[in-house]
Amino acid sequence: MKKLLLALALVLAIHTVPASLGIQTAEAGYQNSLLRFHNAERKRRNLPRFRSSGVLIKSATDYSKVMSDNNHFDHIGLDSSTPDDRIRAAGYTGSATGENIAAGFTAPALVFRGWMNSPGHRRNIRSRLFNRIGFGKTGTYWVTNFGG
């Protein structure tokens, strides 16, 4: 009985350890991977690193959910919103905005490779207009929101 209680206590402890101690959620994991991939590309081009933005993460996550929930894949939302409309509505006040979307990819490395193989998406990743970034993912729908 003591072993069972000890095992249960260990399981509960593992599930309540905060991310600040090095245990990350799946969401933080894909966010960190994508930020690493994007910044490695920027470094190869002698461009400034992206810094993560909570507002851009929120707008990207919200739109990935809209696309997933509605089987909708387009930069123009079902409500006719543009990427700039959605990013501004989330509270972003910077001077420039942009968006990359993808669907069907199962891992951060694969979606990043897909974006790099697309001239328009690659242009956003390499743009000097942008210095802030946020990622969203729902199912296999991925969104990157850029800000400058």
Side-chain angles (χ1 to χ4, degrees):
M1 183 66 165
K2 279 187 176 180
K3 286 183 181 179
L4 180 61
L5 290 175
L6 182 58
L8 181 58
L10 181 59
V11 168
L12 289 173
I14 288 171
H15 288 289
T16 58
V17 173
S20 63
L21 296 178
I23 308 286
Q24 296 183 349
T25 64
E27 181 175 317
Y30 86 78
Q31 296 263 349
N32 290 336
S33 293
L34 284 173
L35 184 60
R36 227 177 17 258
F37 295 143
H38 281 75
N39 280 333
E41 175 62 23
R42 304 263 302 175
K43 184 176 182 178
R44 280 191 287 280
R45 299 284 173 176
N46 293 318
L47 295 167
R49 296 173 61 84
F50 284 119
R51 291 184 24 203
S52 186
S53 161
V55 172
L56 295 175
I57 290 170
K58 179 180 178 359
S59 64
T61 300
D62 289 351
Y63 194 56
S64 72
K65 184 167 177 17
V66 166
M67 289 195 300
S68 178
D69 288 352
N70 296 283
N71 194 28
H72 175 75
F73 184 70
D74 199 309
H75 289 285
I76 302 302
L78 293 169
D79 60 355
S80 299
S81 62
T82 66
D84 187 69
D85 294 336
R86 292 186 296 275
I87 293 167
R88 302 286 179 198
Y92 189 75
T93 59
S95 60
T97 64
E99 178 181 80
N100 285 354
I101 61 174
F105 295 94
T106 57
L110 299 175
V111 73
F112 182 75
R113 185 178 314 134
W115 283 327
M116 288 305 295
N117 287 331
S118 163
H121 294 107
R122 184 175 55 243
R123 192 170 25 258
N124 280 343
I125 293 166
R126 294 177 177 171
S127 175
R128 289 188 178 276
L129 293 174
F130 305 131
N131 57 16
R132 299 286 186 274
I133 199 164
F135 307 102
K137 175 187 177 299
T138 304
T140 60
Y141 287 84
W142 304 75
V143 177
T144 302
N145 283 163
F146 299 92

